[in-house]
Amino acid sequence: MGIFLLEMTDGSEMILTAGRATRTETGDVAFEYVDARGNWSRSCSVHSAQVKTAYARRVGEDGVARWVPQLSAGRWWAY
């Protein structure tokens, strides 16, 4: 399970937990969960025009958790 932060263009923020996050081919940010059989399903999508920056929560080698920015263009997956 991952923790993700979206900074929205209106100045608000959204924090979600999901199995993974992705930037789709159209630029939207989508969040997905996996079932016991390994099937992924989308639980939430946020339109690209609403997203300023997307972050994934990661623990560094020093043991400190940080928000790691994801690419602002192109496809990506974060777990």
Side-chain angles (χ1 to χ4, degrees), residues 4-76:
F4 306 97
L5 165 67
L6 296 181
E7 288 182 345
M8 311 301 275
T9 55
D10 67 359
S12 65
E13 296 177 336
M14 179 186 297
I15 296 177
L16 295 105
T17 57
R20 68 183 180 189
T22 183
R23 182 175 297 275
T24 67
E25 292 175 6
T26 60
D28 297 345
V29 177
F31 300 91
E32 301 176 337
Y33 290 97
V34 65
D35 66 16
R37 296 180 185 208
N39 299 310
W40 289 94
S41 60
R42 190 166 294 179
S43 60
C44 174
S45 294
V46 181
H47 192 273
S48 60
Q50 295 177 293
V51 179
K52 180 179 173 185
T53 310
Y55 299 89
R57 186 95 168 154
R58 298 284 180 256
V59 176
E61 292 180 13
D62 58 1
V64 176
R66 295 178 175 83
W67 290 113
V68 178
Q70 303 302 297
L71 298 174
S72 59
R75 290 277 302 203
W76 53 259

